Amino acid sequence: MSQLHNSKQKTFSQSDQGIAQKRSVFSIIFIILIFAVVISVILSVSIGQVSIPFHQSFQILIQQITGGEFGSLDGISDGMYTDIIWQIRFPRVLLAMVMGAGLALCGTVMQASVQNPLADPYILGISSGAALGATFSIMLGFSVGGLLGDLGVASWAFIGALGAAALVLGLASIGGKTSSVKLVLAGTVINALCNAFSNFIIYFAKNSDGIRSVSFWTMGSLASAEWSTLPLISAVVIAAIAFFLFQSRVMNTMLMGEETAITLGVNLNFYRRLYMILSSVVTGILVSTCGIIGFVGLIVPHIVRSVVGSDHKRLIPTSILFGSLFMIWTDIFARTIVPNGELPVGIVTSLLGAPVFMYMLIKKSYGFGGR
């Protein structure tokens, strides 16, 4: 009996050590990511067509953020650098951070909700719905005010994204319970339908300038970043992050399946629908602001999951930070790779994301929902 008791104590001790070790690794990764994001922000405002010294960028940011409490900058070049950093580059970096965090968060939530490793923020036809709304506005010249103000293309893109998501949720709800398979199939159908209508409008409008604008918008870009565009998108993403950080238990239960959820008293049908609606609103606002930026919500949760595991208590905050870091450096690459110009950031995320995802598929280093 004493040997059995000692054996159990040893097993529990090893289990506790394993949990403590995982927490320690997560804490180290989390601190490293925060530090990397801060350094990347300063580097990002220094890098561009006009190169600005790192220490000077840091000084300008501190001076602007604190309202000049740490002294003022003198000289014509310093004044020009201040305008470049504070009016152009810093809002763009902040938008990249918010965009990356939002897409990574929505990707993590949707992969858990539909229990599908190929799920991303556009699985509900959100991208095609937004593209249809933007095409409608650009090609036919409509604009609308309202929630987003008189923004024309952005407003119609948001309306299209939410409309597509509503159609998918409605279609998946027919017959009672909303299942993950029905959501994926409904998203595929609405995707095809919205793309067909977009092509129909483009074909009959015969507007070469409009076609070019639609093509550029669907490639995604952070070039429209301004201080005025940040409050709404930041508030929505921060609110979504605050909500989903406390939903790790439910999302962990989703990975265990319907039977386990029923045993634990979790109404998966309700939570799945709630998560999809919230993710659709967040993604709709992100898409209406920056266009379609693919692969971020798909590959970031996979990369993070392979490092910290599938527990959403660790997965969600790490994915948010890594998504921000990924978008910052993707944007740096997009605006520096072409001399005197920039690539649409959606092209860069696809060029970087596709090989990474193919490598992960070939490697098969972990299973979805596992380590």
Side-chain angles (χ1 to χ4, degrees), residues 313-351:
K313 192 173 183 180
R314 296 190 294 265
L315 179 61
I316 290 176
T318 312
S319 294
I320 290 167
L321 286 175
F322 189 75
S324 295
L325 188 66
F326 179 81
M327 276 302 301
I328 289 173
W329 283 100
T330 301
D331 182 53
I332 291 174
F333 188 79
R335 57 187 168 86
T336 57
I337 193 66
V338 179
N340 300 319
E342 69 173 73
L343 279 176
V345 72
I347 294 178
V348 181
T349 57
S350 297
L351 288 174

Side-chain angles (χ1 to χ4, degrees), residues 270-344:
F270 167 77
Y271 282 107
R272 185 178 287 126
R273 193 171 299 181
L274 174 64
Y275 292 171
M276 286 297 180
I277 292 171
L278 294 178
S279 298
S280 299
V281 172
V282 174
T283 306
I285 289 178
L286 294 175
V287 170
S288 67
T289 305
C290 301
I292 299 170
I293 301 176
F295 274 97
V296 180
L298 179 62
I299 65 168
V300 168
H302 280 286
I303 294 172
V304 174
R305 193 180 289 112
S306 66
V307 176
V308 302
S310 59
D311 184 358
H312 287 85
K313 192 173 183 180
R314 296 190 294 265
L315 179 61
I316 290 176
T318 312
S319 294
I320 290 167
L321 286 175
F322 189 75
S324 295
L325 188 66
F326 179 81
M327 276 302 301
I328 289 173
W329 283 100
T330 301
D331 182 53
I332 291 174
F333 188 79
R335 57 187 168 86
T336 57
I337 193 66
V338 179
N340 300 319
E342 69 173 73
L343 279 176

